[in-house]
Amino acid sequence: MDLLLDTGRAPGEVLVITTGDPHPWAAHELSFGEAAYWAQHDAGDDVFYADAAALGRATARPVVVVALNGGVDETAATALPLALGRAGALLVVCGDPQRINSLLGAGV
């Protein structure tokens, strides 16, 4: 994330998707309720962190980062093409390269 911001990306340009445990920011913000959480998404002023299960609700952003930080392979395999569709300019996939390759069925 730091590299993206340090190279000129605005925070509101970035959507981060997790496939396992939620990012601590998302868990904290959800403690205030779904409406407040999604209002931050809609405002588009900051990096937004979401669970892969919520990817269908997230709108496109120039940069989408997918953190394959656990979860079942089916969730990750479904999230990857959806994330690609949401990424306007750049898709970053973080995780074990072997897992990524097996999910995509290709050498990455």
Side-chain angles (χ1 to χ4, degrees):
M1 184 57 57
D2 290 339
L3 181 60
L4 289 169
L5 299 176
D6 289 345
T7 57
R9 292 287 178 183
E13 294 181 0
V14 183
L15 170 66
V16 178
I17 303 299
T18 57
T19 61
D21 290 336
H23 188 278
W25 180 91
H28 172 75
E29 293 302 320
L30 278 166
S31 72
F32 299 106
E34 290 271 334
Y37 173 75
W38 286 104
Q40 290 184 6
H41 168 272
D42 297 340
D45 297 332
D46 205 351
V47 176
F48 190 79
Y49 297 86
D51 183 85
L55 187 53
R57 185 168 175 183
T59 58
R61 293 210 177 177
V63 179
V64 176
V65 177
V66 179
L68 296 176
N69 65 329
V72 297
D73 284 350
E74 182 179 294
T75 299
T78 301
L80 288 170
L82 287 173
L84 179 60
R86 299 291 189 279
L90 179 65
L91 173 66
V92 179
V93 180
C94 304
D96 175 32
Q98 285 184 306
R99 184 174 186 214
I100 294 167
N101 285 337
S102 71
L103 291 170
L104 296 176
V108 176

